[in-house]
Amino acid sequence: MSSDTSTKFGGQQMLDFVTTNLDQEKAEDIVTVDLRGKSQIADFMVICSGRSTRQVGALAEKMSDLLKQQHGVLTRIEGKGQGDWVLMDAGDVVVHIFRPEVREFYQLEKMWLPGEEATTKATKS
């Protein structure tokens, strides 16, 4: 049954799909945050950067298309028109795609990751 297949795609499997495809599409500084037990909005959050407003929008569009075509997952996208910060809600995984300057300003990693881990991730870039 196709609906049975789509209900099984989620959680860690969706996270792996999203991070793999973002990496293949040249997203930069991909960080994963495990939200299980911390928030009910999603199981995982992915934060990454695109080099320009155009790339930020393209990364979001491509990810949305892949999730829909390959797994029947519909995503909600906010901010694609501006291209500074795009938020994608795919259910179990929420994806934030930033331009580097905007990402540095909001520092979502510091809000969601434990202190030492957030500092380590931030210094990698």
Side-chain angles (χ1 to χ4, degrees):
M1 299 176 115
S2 62
S3 62
D4 189 49
T5 303
S6 65
T7 57
K8 289 181 183 177
F9 182 76
Q12 185 68 48
Q13 187 180 13
M14 183 184 287
L15 175 67
D16 294 342
F17 180 83
V18 167
T19 55
T20 298
N21 283 288
L22 285 171
D23 185 53
Q24 289 174 350
E25 294 298 320
K26 306 298 186 228
E28 298 177 345
D29 301 320
I30 301 168
V31 174
T32 301
V33 180
D34 188 343
L35 297 176
R36 296 173 292 187
K38 296 178 187 174
S39 175
Q40 294 182 357
I41 59 170
D43 290 341
F44 299 98
M45 179 187 306
V46 175
I47 304 168
C48 66
S49 299
R51 291 180 303 278
S52 65
T53 56
R54 186 175 210 169
Q55 187 188 23
V56 168
L59 287 166
E61 191 69 36
K62 178 82 176 209
M63 181 56 55
S64 180
D65 289 347
L66 286 171
L67 285 167
K68 182 179 179 182
Q69 292 170 2
Q70 294 184 19
H71 299 287
V73 174
L74 300 177
T75 58
R76 290 181 293 262
I77 300 176
E78 295 289 331
K80 193 177 89 170
Q82 292 79 22
D84 289 330
W85 175 2
V86 176
L87 170 64
M88 295 181 56
D89 180 355
D92 288 349
V93 178
V94 173
V95 181
H96 297 270
I97 308 170
F98 289 96
R99 277 190 315 105
E101 303 82 19
V102 178
R103 182 177 181 175
E104 178 63 31
F105 180 79
Y106 287 102
Q107 298 184 9
L108 286 185
E109 292 94 332
K110 287 187 178 182
M111 188 182 323
W112 287 99
L113 291 173
E116 293 174 9
E117 190 175 345
T119 303
T120 303
K121 301 267 186 196
T123 58
K124 281 186 173 179
S125 22

